[in-house]
Amino acid sequence: MSGIIVALIGMVVFALGYRYYSKFVAERIFRLDPNYVTPAHRYKDGVDFVPTNKFVLWGHHFTSVAGAAPILGPAIAVYWGWLPAFLWVILGTVFAAGVHDFGTLVLSVRNKGQSVGTLAHRLIGQRAKILFLFIILILVLMVNAVFAWVISNLFISYPASVLPVFVQIPLAIWIGYAAYKRSKKMLIPSLLALGVMYLTAIIASRVDFLQIDLVSYFGGEGAAGLFGLGATSSAFLIWIIVLMVYVYIASTLPVWKLLQPRDFINSHQLVVGLGILYLGLLFLNPEMTAPITNANPDTPWLPLLFITIACGAISGFHGLVSSGTSSKQLNKETDARFVGYFGAVGEGILALVSIIAVATFFANSDEFFATYSSFTDANGAGLGVFIEGAANLASGIAIPPDIATTIVSIIVVSFAATTLDTSVRLMRYIIAELGVEYKVPALTKTHVATTVAVVSSAALVLLPEGPKGFGSGGYQLWPLFGTANQLLAGISLLLIAVWLRRQGRNYAVVLIPMIFLMFMTLYAMFQQVIFEWSWFGTGSNTLLFVLGAIIFVFAVWIILTAFSVLTESKNTTIDDEDRK
């Protein structure tokens, strides 16, 4: 089948979902009120609570939730064939992710901009709140480790991408200052900043001394490097340190100084990047050479397909962003449909092009199976195949392969970095909440909580010694990230269902995807993490086992509590206080 046909079918489904289904949910289920005073106005402080134009906020929200996950998950899941991955991405986006992201945003806006972890207390009790906060804490810790690992490896593999990524930081700070201190518009400066980034990328791709290649600096693959770690491990260590210093600063700055303007630039990267890839697809018209389905997988698709494609279809981390940062910046409640649901659609569009880039990259199915010979190989090859496949699509509009590869790697790194510092900011919020809960005043202080978040994240990604050697913590945690992420999404949907029931509204739109997601996720965690200990066939893995067991027990406890509340809930409004 032609890749264009697959893309068109996906786009039509996404368009219909946003036009009709999200409108139904907004008007009939959530009943958005254009006159509602949002937390961004009610608690405006210029740091976290900042009323924001919906297009700027969509840019922040989308790039915060995108990261590398909607690219990596589908690129791996093509192992089971492109059709199962395609179906879950489009159906999951329309009926699960859109409702989840939209719902957590509205739920938080109606309740003082509080996170879903805090709202668990009001909805299902104090004990559930504490358990939920610990699940979220473990998840964001894993997000930090996974994405720091991904970014560091991309900097090592594609050194021409380093300079353009770091050029973006001062440009974003300048745009933020111009927009919020001098009331300038952000659109034109953001487009100019993107142009500077890509011009830097073109030059860096062709000029060797502009490529920050730390592996070569330490003498190449065989060199001793720092502390006898080897050149690659030494480069990895340095990039992790640089990233942790960066996210410490970025996550403590007011959102308007770096977070919003950089995310606005990255939202244009999305449009430009997707435009390049889909135009390349149109001109090349490649065939889907990957198999429609894999008849003999070494790992069954049920339930792992629904865990592997996390952010590409539904992701609990999106609910943390919706209720953690986006809800504090929503200008009007009616903007929630565009920011939340359309943010999920943007994620689906990115996942769709990831599937197409991988499925059209190989000359034939034999070449595909040579690379995707097992699920383990798919995990190792997925991101690299996407970058090469996306660069191949870009060649359809005459972009040279080396420049296309650099630009694609920049897009992936930019999104992953946005997710990383948003995740650290969220982790700071959660640590502060736990500090209040357990009466540890030091943890409520911004820099103390951020230090705990950054140090623990660095330790997690650096300390484990696994199948990829030093600094493989992010690699080892990827399978557990998927299950914990989906469990969080299921629990968030359950909280929305309880809230809707208390409002006397139809909650089937969240209950149905929640039951499906809970079943698949608990099944996967029970089967793969607790009993087999590792998805990668490396034998006993203590890190995965301990964290997986904790998350599993906490999740079952919360689910039982929430279902008990759901069946007993009366029609009592919980957001009257915010309406005063």
Side-chain angles (χ1 to χ4, degrees):
M1 180 181 288
S2 167
I4 295 176
I5 300 299
V6 175
L8 285 174
I9 293 172
M11 290 297 187
V12 168
V13 174
F14 289 147
L16 292 174
Y18 181 73
R19 173 64 180 83
Y20 296 105
Y21 191 62
S22 73
K23 184 178 180 182
F24 164 76
V25 173
E27 295 179 354
R28 301 292 185 88
I29 307 300
F30 296 148
R31 301 176 188 175
L32 302 184
D33 181 0
N35 298 317
Y36 181 71
V37 180
T38 64
H41 289 281
R42 188 182 298 272
Y43 309 110
K44 184 177 178 180
D45 61 6
V47 178
D48 294 316
F49 292 88
V50 179
T52 305
N53 175 278
K54 70 177 183 179
F55 297 103
V56 176
L57 181 56
W58 182 87
H60 154 72
H61 178 82
F62 174 76
T63 52
S64 294
V65 302
I71 294 171
L72 180 56
I76 294 172
V78 173
Y79 167 73
W80 291 294
W82 63 261
L83 182 61
F86 170 76
L87 291 175
W88 176 232
V89 163
I90 61 171
L91 296 178
T93 295
V94 171
F95 296 108
V99 175
H100 169 270
D101 297 11
F102 186 10
T104 49
L105 180 57
V106 173
L107 179 62
S108 178
V109 166
R110 289 289 180 90
N111 291 278
K112 303 179 180 180
Q114 295 175 329
S115 70
V116 287
T118 300
L119 289 172
H121 180 198
R122 298 181 69 185
L123 291 167
I124 56 178
Q126 175 68 8
R127 182 176 297 170
K129 170 194 170 182
I130 299 302
L131 295 177
F132 196 29
L133 283 176
F134 274 110
I135 289 179
I136 295 171
L137 185 66
I138 293 172
L139 174 63
V140 293
L141 181 61
M142 288 190 292
V143 168
N144 297 342
V146 168
F147 282 86
W149 183 83
V150 167
I151 294 169
S152 298
N153 278 286
L154 286 174
F155 278 160
I156 291 171
S157 300
Y158 305 99
S161 68
V162 177
L163 187 58
V165 169
F166 279 92
V167 162
Q168 185 187 43
I169 297 173
L171 293 173
I173 293 173
W174 166 68
I175 293 170
Y177 175 80
Y180 287 91
K181 291 298 184 180
R182 302 180 64 184
S183 301
K184 302 293 185 181
K185 298 294 185 181
M186 292 178 65
L187 178 60
I188 300 302
S190 297
L191 292 174
L192 291 174
L194 185 60
V196 171
M197 286 180 64
Y198 285 172
L199 179 60
T200 307
I202 293 170
I203 297 172
S205 298
R206 297 294 173 86
V207 180
D208 290 343
F209 73 83
L210 292 179
Q211 300 182 17
I212 303 178
D213 188 352
L214 293 181
V215 176
S216 296
Y217 175 80
F218 286 111
E221 294 290 344
L226 292 172
F227 314 116
L229 291 174
T232 302
S233 295
S234 297
F236 182 86
L237 174 61
I238 290 174
W239 282 128
I240 290 296
I241 293 172
V242 170
L243 285 172
M244 291 299 118
V245 171
Y246 161 74
V247 296
Y248 183 97
I249 297 170
S251 62
T252 54
L253 287 174
V255 291
W256 63 265
K257 281 191 176 179
L258 177 60
L259 189 71
Q260 284 183 352
R262 186 209 48 212
D263 292 353
F264 196 50
I265 296 171
N266 286 340
S267 69
H268 299 316
Q269 279 213 80
L270 167 72
V271 175
V272 172
L274 290 178
I276 289 172
L277 297 182
Y278 280 106
L279 279 174
L281 176 67
L282 180 64
F283 285 106
L284 282 180
N285 190 22
E287 291 294 314
M288 304 286 280
T289 53
I292 296 177
T293 59
N294 186 344
N296 298 296
D298 69 336
T299 304
W301 67 271
L302 186 70
L304 296 188
L305 171 71
F306 305 100
I307 307 306
T308 303
I309 303 178
C311 300
I314 182 170
S315 164
F317 183 74
H318 294 193
L320 298 184
V321 175
S322 289
S323 65
T325 59
S326 298
S327 64
K328 298 174 176 63
Q329 301 171 59
L330 197 73
N331 186 41
K332 294 182 179 179
E333 188 177 73
T334 47
D335 293 345
R337 177 188 173 204
F338 179 78
V339 174
Y341 196 98
F342 193 63
V345 170
E347 193 95 327
I349 293 172
L350 186 56
L352 177 61
V353 80
S354 177
I355 293 170
I356 295 172
V358 172
T360 59
F361 176 66
F362 300 95
N364 51 56
S365 59
D366 290 338
E367 283 192 11
F368 172 85
F369 283 118
T371 301
Y372 282 72
S373 58
S374 67
F375 185 59
T376 301
D377 290 339
N379 275 276
L383 190 56
V385 172
F386 165 77
I387 291 176
E388 298 301 325
N392 182 59
L393 289 179
S395 69
I397 54 173
I399 298 178
D402 57 335
I403 294 174
T405 300
T406 299
I407 290 175
V408 172
S409 62
I410 288 170
I411 293 172
V412 177
V413 169
S414 297
F415 287 169
T418 300
T419 301
L420 180 61
D421 60 44
T422 299
S423 179
V424 172
R425 185 180 289 264
L426 292 171
M427 192 172 178
R428 165 167 62 88
Y429 294 159
I430 297 163
I431 291 170
E433 286 190 50
L434 290 172
V436 171
E437 191 66 38
Y438 289 102
K439 297 179 174 58
V440 184
L443 292 180
T444 64
K445 298 183 183 300
T446 297
H447 289 286
V448 173
T450 306
T451 299
V452 172
V454 168
V455 171
S456 59
S457 300
L460 190 58
V461 74
L462 289 173
L463 291 180
E465 187 79 23
K468 293 289 185 179
F470 172 79
S472 65
Y475 180 90
Q476 293 186 71
L477 289 169
W478 178 255
L480 189 55
F481 163 76
T483 50
N485 196 12
Q486 303 303 69
L487 270 177
L488 180 58
I491 295 170
S492 297
L493 286 170
L494 188 53
L495 292 177
I496 300 169
V498 171
W499 175 67
L500 289 173
R501 178 173 169 78
R502 288 186 175 181
Q503 309 307 308
R505 302 176 194 172
N506 183 351
Y507 56 93
V509 294
V510 294
L511 189 67
I512 293 171
M514 182 273 295
I515 291 173
F516 176 83
L517 195 64
M518 284 294 194
F519 173 78
M520 290 299 174
T521 306
L522 289 174
Y523 178 22
M525 180 170 279
F526 183 79
Q527 180 187 59
Q528 298 297 328
V529 178
I530 294 181
F531 274 43
E532 296 183 8
W533 292 34
S534 173
W535 286 12
F536 295 101
T538 57
S540 176
N541 189 317
T542 304
L543 181 66
L544 281 182
F545 176 75
V546 172
L547 291 179
I550 291 172
I551 293 172
F552 184 83
V553 171
F554 283 5
V556 171
W557 196 339
I558 292 171
I559 291 166
L560 293 176
T561 303
F563 266 110
S564 175
V565 172
L566 185 64
T567 56
E568 297 173 0
S569 291
K570 297 179 181 180
N571 296 345
T572 56
T573 303
I574 67 169
D575 60 352
D576 282 346
E577 184 177 353
D578 277 356
R579 288 188 176 275
K580 294 178 182 177

